[in-house]
Amino acid sequence: MDVRTFWLAGRPATGDSELTVTNPHDGREVGRCSVPTDGQVEEAIAAAHAVAGQAAALPVHVRAEALAHVSRRLSERADEIAHLITAENGKPIFWARGEVSRAIATFRFAAEETRRWSGDVQRLDTEPAAAGRLAYVSRVPYGPVLAITPFNFPLNLVAHKVAPAIAVGAPVIVKPAPATPLTSLLLGEILAETDLPAGMFSVLPVENERASGLVLDPRLPVVSFTGSAPVGYAIADQIPRKHVTLELGGNAAAVVLADADLDWAAQRVALFSNYQAGQSCIAVQRVIVERPVYDEFVERLLPAVDGLVTGDPADEKTQVGPLVSVHAAERVEQWVREAVDAGARVLTGGTREGATIAPTVLADVPHDAKVLREEVFGPVVVLQPAASIDEAYAMVNDSAYGLQAGVFTRSLDAAFRANRELEVGGVIIGDVPSYRADQMPYGGVKDSGIGREGLHSAMTDYTYEKVMVLTGLSL
């Protein structure tokens, strides 16, 4: 099997070792990629640092056209890329196609935002002492971005770091997840087709143990990390003087109020507690239902969950595939077992076959169970009745996490109250917390992270304001 090259300062390169990628569903070898040496990692960092000034000065049309080119090429190669995602990640092809479509849009949005990205002008002659003065306020990149990306969205979550970096004129070094490097390397291949200067991007599939060298290097002043809260905050603690963006985990809650459309809520909760095999930061994990409709909701939810198609992720009909590894599935299985041993009831699912966990619904889960307090990152949902809207919203907030929440209601008052009271970065009314538009601000509070993704938001996050004052003007 051919060994894929990695991307070193915009060109293909090989190191002195290899990484083998396997399919989580059947264990077959999907591909191999070359792993950079320490010297090659140093070369990539040095190149990013050296080109930073040139990158920041790139004309807007060069940056925008590079991003538009990536969007077009992703569209042209969409089927190939979707099957690669499915092979290395285990994500059902249905969801993989959706991820590719989103990445196409993400790069397109970035190209559009780049063309709109411009400075502001502010008159300063509001006081006599500033007569004839005017401020031009622009945004300047901090410098090269280190993008540490996860396995669960090996294309679109890379896009959400690479695209805004290019948009603002910042070099970017991608360290993909070791389980899913191949999709990032294919993206590097497409980036290499653009007119971006050498050094503007690198894709380095190094082991996690070697990431600290990248994190600590002062020539990479921005670190954008997506992953678990313990790892993210450990990174932030190591580099207090760097600009750090953390998109971390969650145990997202969906609130079903008494006035909700229960059929719609049940269908959405069933699907989005299990999409990506639950391996999404905003997969539905907790479902908080007002007590008057609790039994009716459960009657609708269980058949919807049982009706999901679980199996081979390459099958077009499959909705729920395997977790990223047998080890990950064994951890989820253990957490379910611990909850059951402590008094929880399994209403459906709860079984494991290899890396696949059957879609699982739990009730009567103890307050301190991991499946309730931590991020399961698997196809497990916990049902909780609430006596009132007051209790329901308090239960949402009773979490160390605060990424997104969903509220099923027809009441505008309940919707705006949710927006006021829920301690999360996003409130989705009438749907699950799993909804994300790629152009909107996205991020959390508490242990769910700091900073925001979404193209304009990330572009702002990667830059700082710089003021030039012009003097002696006739305004």
Side-chain angles (χ1 to χ4, degrees):
M1 181 173 286
D2 291 340
V3 179
R4 292 180 185 244
T5 58
F6 56 87
W7 294 93
L8 171 56
R11 69 179 191 277
T14 56
D16 57 7
S17 62
E18 297 176 2
L19 175 65
T20 299
V21 179
T22 58
N23 185 309
H25 175 66
D26 54 21
R28 65 182 171 84
E29 182 176 323
V30 174
R32 300 178 187 177
C33 66
S34 188
V35 177
T37 65
D38 289 343
Q40 289 169 319
V41 170
E42 164 58 28
E43 186 179 346
I45 297 172
H49 178 68
V51 82
Q54 181 185 353
L58 279 175
V60 165
H61 71 88
V62 174
R63 289 180 258 154
E65 180 49 38
L67 293 163
H69 173 84
V70 174
S71 180
R72 289 192 298 268
R73 293 290 285 141
L74 290 175
S75 181
E76 292 167 0
R77 300 178 66 176
D79 191 63
E80 170 197 356
I81 298 168
H83 279 91
L84 178 59
I85 291 171
T86 293
E88 70 170 345
N89 173 277
K91 179 177 300 189
I93 189 65
F94 170 81
W95 297 113
R97 294 190 200 282
E99 180 176 352
V100 177
S101 295
R102 288 180 60 190
I104 292 167
T106 297
F107 277 98
R108 186 179 72 249
F109 294 149
E112 294 166 355
E113 282 294 334
T114 302
R115 295 191 187 277
R116 288 191 287 264
W117 191 251
S118 188
D120 296 322
V121 174
Q122 183 178 358
R123 288 184 64 148
L124 302 178
D125 59 342
T126 54
E127 298 296 328
R133 294 180 185 254
L134 181 138
Y136 172 73
V137 184
S138 59
R139 298 199 69 91
V140 179
Y142 289 105
V145 175
L146 171 60
I148 303 176
T149 61
F151 70 82
N152 57 329
F153 287 85
L155 177 63
N156 199 41
L157 290 187
V158 178
H160 270 287
K161 300 183 187 303
V162 170
I166 293 171
V168 300
V172 59
I173 293 177
V174 177
K175 194 219 88 67
T180 56
L182 303 181
T183 306
S184 294
L185 295 172
L186 190 152
L187 179 60
E189 178 184 329
I190 293 174
L191 285 166
E193 299 170 353
T194 69
D195 292 329
L196 294 171
M200 187 76 176
F201 77 92
S202 293
V203 183
L204 306 179
V206 299
E207 303 87 343
N208 288 338
E209 295 75 18
R210 297 172 61 197
S212 60
L214 289 159
V215 168
L216 295 172
D217 197 293
R219 294 168 293 179
L220 302 175
V222 178
V223 177
S224 180
F225 170 85
T226 298
S228 70
V231 175
Y233 284 113
I235 287 173
D237 289 344
Q238 291 181 73
I239 47 173
R241 296 187 180 183
K242 287 194 179 190
H243 184 80
V244 178
T245 297
L246 302 177
E247 200 280 279
L248 306 178
N251 54 5
V255 176
V256 182
L257 297 179
D259 68 334
D261 180 335
L262 298 184
D263 289 323
W264 166 253
Q267 291 294 326
R268 298 296 282 178
V269 166
L271 185 60
F272 285 94
S273 57
N274 294 288
Y275 88 122
Q276 325 286 344
Q279 296 171 123
S280 168
C281 302
I282 45 177
V284 181
Q285 183 172 328
R286 300 179 291 150
V287 183
I288 300 163
V289 188
E290 272 200 289
R291 196 174 294 279
V293 295
Y294 179 84
D295 291 338
E296 294 178 63
F297 176 77
V298 174
E299 289 173 3
R300 289 165 169 79
L301 177 66
L302 295 182
V305 171
D306 290 338
L308 296 172
V309 179
T310 302
D312 184 350
D315 189 324
E316 299 282 352
K317 297 179 182 178
T318 297
Q319 295 167 294
V320 184
L323 276 73
V324 72
S325 67
V326 172
H327 176 73
E330 289 174 340
R331 177 193 57 78
V332 173
E333 180 185 39
Q334 177 61 30
W335 284 20
V336 170
R337 185 181 301 118
E338 289 174 5
V340 171
D341 290 345
R345 292 185 296 124
V346 178
L347 302 187
T348 191
T351 59
R352 179 181 68 83
E353 183 176 346
T356 300
I357 297 282
T360 300
V361 180
L362 301 177
D364 302 331
V365 173
H367 184 72
D368 60 350
K370 290 177 183 175
V371 292
L372 190 61
R373 308 305 301 176
E374 302 297 330
E375 181 180 38
V376 173
F377 227 58
V380 177
V381 66
V382 175
L383 297 176
Q384 296 178 283
S388 64
I389 187 173
D390 293 343
E391 184 177 29
Y393 287 1
M395 291 166 72
V396 173
N397 291 338
D398 183 21
S399 171
Y401 298 101
L403 190 46
Q404 291 196 161
V407 180
F408 289 91
T409 182
R410 294 184 174 93
S411 166
L412 277 177
D413 182 67
F416 278 94
R417 181 178 173 185
N419 191 55
R420 289 194 309 271
E421 296 182 8
L422 298 185
E423 299 166 357
V424 293
V427 178
I428 313 301
I429 303 300
D431 207 349
V432 290
S434 317
Y435 176 79
R436 178 183 181 183
D438 290 290
Q439 72 271 34
M440 77 181 193
Y442 176 78
V445 295
K446 301 193 283 190
D447 280 356
S448 288
I450 52 177
R452 290 294 180 268
E453 290 189 344
L455 281 310
H456 184 85
S457 299
M459 290 164 69
T460 300
D461 218 359
Y462 290 171
T463 56
Y464 62 90
E465 283 188 320
K466 188 172 187 178
V467 180
M468 177 177 67
V469 176
L470 301 175
T471 306
L473 302 177
S474 297
L475 299 173

